[in-house]
Amino acid sequence: DRALILAGISHDLRTPLARLSLEVEMAPVSQETRDAMAADIAQMDKIVAQFLDYARPQSNAPATLVDLSAIADAQADKIERMGARVERHITPRICVLGHETELTRVLTNLIDNARKYGRHSESDTPELEIWVRRNGAQAVVEILDNGPGVSEADLERIKRPFTRANEARSQAGGAGLGLAIVERVIKRAGGSWRIANRPQGGLSVTDR
């Protein structure tokens, strides 16, 4: 029933959003207005996607071997094309048993979060470090940014659904579910993760 409801929500909301996108392209308005309307539609679509990701039930498919290194490299390529500077320390073929779609969602959310918030102003170029390595029997992923960080009181709170660290982040374009999705997926996979402020500034997110 839940899967059917989620599929219906996705269809019922995204179909009119897609139609609106086409209508905006044809609307007799200025390019500035058209761009603003398109951005609003994209924001709504992103919020729908976050709700669906958070509500999606755990996969019943058997776990398979997932290459975390390949996922991290692909996400690094993506944000470099968006203008970020990425320092990579990715050991090849670091693999874990899990579900590739869910683990890809974890790395996508964390790396995109670092890209958006890992700078002090909109004009700054985001700078990130991505580490994937082995520590004994554990696979360790670490995402570092050079942004302003988060207050110590908020480090655990921002893992909760619909939560952001400050008002400036309320305009981020999502529903405040990105880190809550990370929390849920990592717990399902039997892993752990930690968010900490770096002494030199910025955040460190470590998954094991």
Side-chain angles (χ1 to χ4, degrees), residues 12-172:
D12 291 347
L13 291 177
R14 283 180 160 161
T15 298
L17 286 176
R19 191 163 56 244
L20 279 172
S21 293
L22 291 175
E23 291 170 354
V24 164
E25 288 298 316
M26 305 294 293
V29 295
S30 68
Q31 186 62 47
E32 182 180 0
T33 301
R34 185 177 291 113
D35 289 345
M37 293 169 71
D40 285 342
I41 293 170
Q43 181 176 347
M44 286 188 284
D45 188 65
K46 184 173 182 178
I47 290 171
V48 170
Q50 279 200 335
F51 274 112
L52 293 175
D53 281 346
Y54 188 71
R56 185 172 286 115
Q58 184 173 3
S59 174
N60 291 322
T64 60
L65 206 60
V66 179
D67 188 339
L68 293 178
S69 303
I71 296 173
D73 265 324
Q75 293 305 313
D77 289 342
K78 178 181 175 181
I79 65 167
E80 281 180 333
R81 290 193 295 270
M82 299 170 72
R85 284 199 289 265
V86 182
E87 186 177 320
R88 307 188 198 198
H89 305 273
I90 301 174
T91 304
R93 294 290 299 168
I94 300 296
C95 299
V96 297
L97 281 174
H99 297 95
E100 184 170 1
T101 300
E102 291 196 341
L103 292 173
T104 298
R105 189 173 294 122
V106 166
L107 267 65
T108 299
N109 285 358
L110 291 178
I111 292 173
D112 194 52
N113 203 61
R115 178 190 65 82
K116 287 189 293 187
Y117 303 134
R119 51 185 170 174
H120 290 269
S121 70
E122 287 294 322
S123 61
D124 291 344
T125 298
E127 296 183 5
L128 291 73
E129 293 180 39
I130 300 175
W131 295 73
V132 182
R133 63 185 186 277
R134 192 181 308 281
N135 181 16
Q138 291 184 321
V140 180
V141 177
E142 192 166 15
I143 315 297
L144 310 174
D145 69 54
N146 292 320
V150 174
S151 72
E152 293 294 325
D154 284 331
L155 287 175
E156 288 301 314
R157 190 177 67 86
I158 59 176
K159 296 180 180 180
R160 301 173 191 166
F162 312 112
T163 302
R164 295 190 183 91
N166 54 48
E167 288 301 317
R169 294 189 176 191
S170 66
Q171 304 303 317

